[in-house]
Amino acid sequence: IALSSGRSIASSFVTPRTACRSSRSPDKYITQHFAEESGERGGVGAKSDDSRAHQKTKLAVDNNRRRLLSIARASALPFLLNPNGGVASASTSTAESPIGLLPSSTPPEQVNAAIVQRSPSRVLCADSAEESRIAIFEAVAPSVVYIDTFSEKRDVFSTNVMEVPIGSGSGFIWDERGHIVTNFHVVQQAKSAQVAILTSGSGTSSIKPAFTSVRPGALGSDGSTVLKNFTRTVYKAKVVGVDPTKDIAVLKVDDVPTKELRPIEVGTSTGLRVGQGSLAIGNPFGLDHTLTTGVISGIGREVKSPIGRPISNVIQTDAAINPGNSGGPLLDSSGKMIGMATAIYSPSGASAGVGFAIPVDTVKTIVGMLIENGQIVRPLLGVSILDSKQARQALGITRGILILEVKPGTPAAQAGLRGLKRTDSGIIEIGDIIIAIEGNSIEKEGDLFKAIESFEPGDVVKVTVNRPGIEVDDDGSPQIKLKEITFEVKLIASDDSTFLKG
């Protein structure tokens, strides 16, 4: 609804409580409006005592009306009574009712009743960017869930097994079949989990009793939610599959009406640029559905998964990510998911402005596999390796990855790769040292994992190794020499029975 000046009513009727700012004073506008109205009725300069008293009465009434309008939603304003006593429609012109106000003779209690009856919950804001953030949060929040995890403990006085809460985290609804995506480390130690979903409340019921780790006094601790038309409903969840390597887990909730499941809108992490806006929604410190904002601070980062393997192409953001945010979505400025919050760098354990999110393109690939197969099938070389730090400290190997064992019957064994072995005389012979995969230099375990992940099971790759051997110098002294050899090795699948047996 536009004012006669061409400005939106949101820009004129705003108080500090809305956190929106306006450059125009509401009191100044109201005073000017009624002064002009008085001039039109009694002539310019007509300042009788009666008119002054009447104007003061009108100003007092409209000050109360202005206070109510400041907390009303824009969509409520067309329903306010027009000066003729009817209901103003959205098509009411600014000339007929410049600010959509009640007539000055309307009692304050009628003004209150009209606004309270017609006003939804949304607050007026002058900043379009702020309105956009609010709209994104209200659209995405029902897709974000609160996860509580439990372990089992036997009662010392009986044989009963009890569920003991061990932690909480965030997650999001993936599809209408009830799949929930979160971090692996959120459910890593859990025997069971429960998921709190924002529902409309129709035809749903929470499990009873429903434990919650939501901070006392926070929204959600008593079933209330940050969105007025939703109820916090708790369901038992089961684990569908996990991928510790990428820190991703998929849960599933059953018996949830399809209409109550609001899958998150998935975007892409391809083409992200440093400086883009980012928003994170999660449950930090037990405070459910918390929104934080920032920018994409970096791309192409690398963090370690819970099992120590590298997660590459990670997104860095300065949107606050704290304990409890894990598994929550990171959004772009259009409200689409671009990543999943997973880790922070912090000396204190709380947000220091350096948070990391798994790129959504990785999440899509892994989640699809977990839903379909319940596990991730990855290409493997078919060898076991020694930790690079140990190899450097104990054996003085400064470059590459030492092969400890080559699984019998695998393509790696057939190709001729060798592992560490002990001779009949008790001497330990060092195995092959992997220094390159398809020409890509291998310095540490992370390099090897990344190089192999770019292929599929069944692909043949060139593996370059340094093979230690003993050569005799001219003076007859034996010396260990490294000979560079390249093998062609067929990659096997991580669920290959030949590799897994024994």
Side-chain angles (χ1 to χ4, degrees), residues 157-484:
F157 299 107
S158 68
T159 59
N160 296 333
V161 177
M162 302 179 296
E163 284 190 340
V164 180
I166 58 174
S168 64
S170 306
F172 49 89
I173 300 172
W174 184 257
D175 57 31
E176 294 182 345
R177 292 183 290 169
H179 290 111
I180 307 294
V181 179
T182 186
N183 283 139
F184 165 71
H185 73 259
V186 171
V187 298
Q188 183 175 7
Q189 305 295 332
K191 291 293 184 181
S192 61
Q194 70 180 29
V195 174
I197 301 175
L198 298 186
T199 66
S200 63
S202 59
T204 61
S205 59
S206 288
I207 60 173
K208 298 183 187 230
F211 167 85
T212 179
S213 60
V214 175
R215 186 178 294 273
L219 288 173
S221 59
D222 59 354
S224 60
T225 71
V226 70
L227 302 178
K228 286 193 173 181
N229 295 327
F230 290 85
T231 302
R232 190 175 189 270
T233 308
V234 182
Y235 299 91
K236 282 288 186 181
K238 62 181 180 181
V239 177
V240 172
V242 299
D243 181 14
T245 302
K246 298 299 182 184
D247 198 17
I248 297 174
V250 177
L251 312 179
K252 191 174 189 299
V253 291
D254 296 317
D255 303 324
V256 185
T258 302
K259 66 178 181 179
E260 300 292 2
L261 295 171
R262 297 167 177 82
I264 198 163
E265 185 175 1
V266 178
T268 179
S269 50
T270 302
L272 294 179
R273 301 177 66 185
V274 174
Q276 286 185 225
S278 62
L279 302 90
I281 302 179
N283 311 304
F285 303 112
L287 300 170
D288 73 313
H289 292 90
T290 296
L291 171 69
T292 57
T293 63
V295 297
I296 295 175
S297 310
I299 54 177
R301 306 303 194 199
E302 182 178 293
V303 298
K304 284 190 175 182
S305 70
I307 62 173
R309 291 202 177 187
I311 306 175
S312 56
N313 295 321
V314 170
I315 303 166
Q316 179 186 336
T317 179
D318 69 347
I321 295 176
N322 288 289
N325 271 108
S326 292
L330 182 71
L331 313 172
D332 62 15
S333 55
S334 67
K336 293 182 179 179
M337 178 180 165
I338 56 174
M340 178 172 64
T342 188
I344 59 174
Y345 277 164
S346 172
S348 65
S351 175
V354 183
F356 299 98
I358 302 169
V360 74
D361 290 347
T362 300
V363 174
K364 285 189 287 189
T365 301
I366 300 301
V367 169
M369 291 184 183
L370 291 176
I371 291 176
E372 182 178 355
N373 304 316
Q375 62 178 346
I376 299 301
V377 179
R378 284 197 170 86
L380 296 176
L381 197 56
V383 302
S384 59
I385 59 177
L386 179 65
D387 181 80
S388 58
K389 289 184 179 180
Q390 295 181 16
R392 283 159 175 70
Q393 294 173 358
L395 302 174
I397 297 175
T398 58
R399 178 192 178 200
I401 302 297
L402 175 64
I403 297 177
L404 281 179
E405 181 186 6
V406 180
K407 291 292 183 179
T410 61
Q414 297 169 4
L417 290 179
R418 296 179 185 176
L420 184 147
K421 68 178 182 179
R422 186 184 297 271
T423 65
D424 294 337
S425 60
I427 298 175
I428 297 177
E429 292 185 356
I430 296 177
D432 292 335
I433 303 169
I434 302 174
I435 59 172
I437 300 288
E438 288 291 332
N440 297 313
S441 178
I442 305 297
E443 299 290 340
K444 57 185 185 297
E445 297 92 331
D447 299 332
L448 178 61
F449 298 143
K450 284 193 292 184
I452 296 298
E453 282 183 356
S454 61
F455 298 95
E456 297 291 334
D459 289 347
V460 176
V461 298
K462 293 181 179 179
V463 181
T464 303
V465 303
N466 277 334
R467 176 166 290 179
I470 297 178
E471 296 182 1
V472 179
D473 288 345
D474 295 337
D475 60 0
S477 300
Q479 298 289 335
I480 296 178
K481 299 291 185 178
L482 297 177
K483 183 179 181 181
E484 187 173 303

Side-chain angles (χ1 to χ4, degrees), residues 43-219:
V44 178
K47 301 289 184 179
S48 66
D49 292 340
D50 290 341
S51 66
R52 290 194 184 95
H54 181 63
Q55 183 174 330
K56 288 181 180 179
T57 302
K58 288 163 54 180
L59 183 58
V61 171
D62 283 287
N63 278 338
N64 183 53
R65 182 186 298 111
R66 173 178 54 81
R67 179 182 63 80
L68 293 170
L69 284 171
S70 69
I71 61 173
R73 188 176 180 175
S75 59
L77 298 176
F79 296 99
L80 299 180
L81 299 178
N82 62 23
N84 297 323
V87 177
S89 66
S91 61
T92 302
S93 68
T94 56
E96 295 173 344
S97 180
I99 53 176
L101 298 177
L102 295 168
S104 58
S105 60
T106 305
E109 58 271 15
Q110 185 176 340
V111 175
N112 298 353
I115 294 179
V116 170
Q117 179 181 3
R118 299 291 186 177
S119 173
S121 61
R122 194 170 176 183
V123 177
L124 298 177
C125 291
D127 187 350
S128 60
E130 185 169 314
E131 283 288 352
S132 176
R133 288 193 299 270
I134 293 172
I136 289 173
F137 175 78
E138 292 180 349
V140 178
S143 301
V144 181
V145 303
Y146 192 109
I147 300 174
D148 282 303
T149 56
F150 304 85
S151 64
E152 293 181 350
K153 182 178 180 182
R154 188 175 297 278
D155 190 346
V156 295
F157 299 107
S158 68
T159 59
N160 296 333
V161 177
M162 302 179 296
E163 284 190 340
V164 180
I166 58 174
S168 64
S170 306
F172 49 89
I173 300 172
W174 184 257
D175 57 31
E176 294 182 345
R177 292 183 290 169
H179 290 111
I180 307 294
V181 179
T182 186
N183 283 139
F184 165 71
H185 73 259
V186 171
V187 298
Q188 183 175 7
Q189 305 295 332
K191 291 293 184 181
S192 61
Q194 70 180 29
V195 174
I197 301 175
L198 298 186
T199 66
S200 63
S202 59
T204 61
S205 59
S206 288
I207 60 173
K208 298 183 187 230
F211 167 85
T212 179
S213 60
V214 175
R215 186 178 294 273
L219 288 173

